[in-house]
Amino acid sequence: MTTAIHPPGSDELPYTRQEMMAIATGRELRDRELAIFGVGLSMLAGYFAQACHAPNIRTMTEGGVYGATPVGGLPWGIECNRISSNATSFTNALDALGFLVGSGRCDVGIIGAAQVDKFGNVNTTGIWDGDGIIGDRYRPPKTRLTGAGGANDIACGAGRVIIMVTHEAKRFAEKVSYISSPGYLDGGDARERHDFIGGGPSAIVTTLGIMRPDPVTKEFVLDAWYPFSSVEEIRSSTGWDLKVSPNARTVPEPSAEELAALRRVDQTGMLRKR
């Protein structure tokens, strides 16, 4: 049985927006799935799921560390000693991304985004004034970002993809300047027409709520909001005319058990720094 958190005599919630996002993302994972995580928050969400409700999830990092449980806190990277010390096996990025993900064997992947659009396309390459590609020419960005890393492979090949992103208008664009990792491209059956192995993004989980793709158009619509957010706040923080699902609802707040599991992974408390 889980116990909900209700801070007595205070309007301040006992968890941060990032913690809510990590828990909401982790709830999307199911036991026994083969899951691949990138660096940072995606690892936290994945290993939270393992610690809380999916003990038999088969975890893998982009670097090929398989079957690990974090020791001593959230790993700082995809091959950190905190996950390599008790891993079942070690392969490499080529095996992880090219063999397992690229062949469609991976059930679910979690990736981050600097910018995302209404069809779930992700930009982590750069910030432009206008499009990053004019005709067939790549333009140097005004601000260079970290790049796609393994996220492109995950977006193309995983059975489903969960995108985690801070909810700000500048990050939610009608159309991204550059597609680092594909979602549903221009919507509809675009992924099928381009023969992607993976099924595409199933959710965009943010610091304010959860969006899911329309089954026909593939445009992302608001599916749920958090106890501390609202439909109005989310729509005003989104760079397109965000539609709201007729079944939209409030996401249950974290239980005491969920917060305890999350904080066993995030022992340094980075997500509790406001």
Side-chain angles (χ1 to χ4, degrees), residues 148-208:
N152 179 276
D153 303 81
I154 294 170
C156 292
R160 72 183 192 283
V161 177
I162 304 162
I163 301 167
M164 299 178 72
V165 58
T166 300
H167 209 131
E168 301 169 332
K170 67 181 181 181
R171 295 179 182 272
F172 283 78
E174 179 91 17
K175 178 183 177 183
V176 292
S177 303
Y178 183 89
I179 298 178
S180 309
S181 304
Y184 294 104
L185 302 175
D186 54 358
D189 64 349
R191 282 188 72 95
E192 287 81 2
R193 286 189 281 108
H194 287 83
D195 294 325
F196 284 105
I197 294 293
S202 61
I204 301 174
V205 183
T206 83
T207 46
L208 295 179

Side-chain angles (χ1 to χ4, degrees), residues 16-27:
T16 67
R17 293 185 175 205
Q18 283 105 340
E19 286 185 312
M20 183 71 248
M21 176 171 63
I23 288 172
T25 302
R27 288 170 176 170

Side-chain angles (χ1 to χ4, degrees), residues 21-269:
M21 176 171 63
I23 288 172
T25 302
R27 288 170 176 170
E28 300 283 317
L29 303 186
R30 299 187 285 269
D31 204 21
R32 301 189 182 279
E33 287 190 304
L34 176 59
I36 186 166
F37 315 136
V39 178
L41 285 174
S42 62
M43 275 189 174
L44 178 60
Y47 288 119
F48 152 74
Q50 182 187 57
C52 185
H53 63 270
N56 301 301
I57 196 168
R58 295 169 292 156
T59 63
M60 180 172 58
T61 72
E62 293 177 13
V65 178
Y66 174 80
T69 302
V71 177
L74 184 66
W76 55 259
I78 56 176
E79 294 175 344
C80 173
N81 288 342
R82 289 174 175 171
I83 51 170
S84 62
S85 62
N86 65 0
T88 300
S89 66
F90 296 88
T91 58
N92 52 52
L94 182 61
D95 285 340
L97 297 171
F99 174 64
L100 287 174
V101 178
S103 65
R105 289 177 170 84
C106 186
D107 297 307
V108 59
I110 307 176
I111 64 174
Q115 187 184 51
V116 64
D117 68 21
K118 67 180 183 179
F119 292 122
N121 301 302
V122 167
N123 172 25
T124 52
T125 298
I127 303 300
W128 284 265
D129 293 321
D131 291 335
I133 296 179
I134 303 296
D136 60 356
R137 183 181 291 272
Y138 173 86
R139 295 194 303 131
K142 180 175 66 175
T143 303
R144 186 71 169 85
L145 302 177
T146 56
N152 179 276
D153 303 81
I154 294 170
C156 292
R160 72 183 192 283
V161 177
I162 304 162
I163 301 167
M164 299 178 72
V165 58
T166 300
H167 209 131
E168 301 169 332
K170 67 181 181 181
R171 295 179 182 272
F172 283 78
E174 179 91 17
K175 178 183 177 183
V176 292
S177 303
Y178 183 89
I179 298 178
S180 309
S181 304
Y184 294 104
L185 302 175
D186 54 358
D189 64 349
R191 282 188 72 95
E192 287 81 2
R193 286 189 281 108
H194 287 83
D195 294 325
F196 284 105
I197 294 293
S202 61
I204 301 174
V205 183
T206 83
T207 46
L208 295 179
I210 302 172
M211 301 177 184
R212 299 191 192 276
D214 178 272
V216 176
T217 67
K218 302 303 182 182
E219 179 177 333
F220 275 80
V221 301
L222 181 62
D223 181 68
W225 59 90
Y226 300 145
F228 52 78
S229 62
S230 66
V231 173
E232 294 74 20
E233 181 183 10
I234 292 170
R235 294 194 78 221
S236 67
S237 301
T238 302
W240 69 86
D241 185 15
L242 179 66
K243 299 178 178 66
V244 180
S245 167
N247 301 314
R249 70 207 188 284
T250 304
V251 178
E253 66 178 337
S255 68
E257 290 81 358
E258 286 177 319
L259 281 174
L262 182 76
R263 290 169 182 175
R264 284 198 299 272
V265 179
D266 182 30
Q267 291 185 19
T268 60

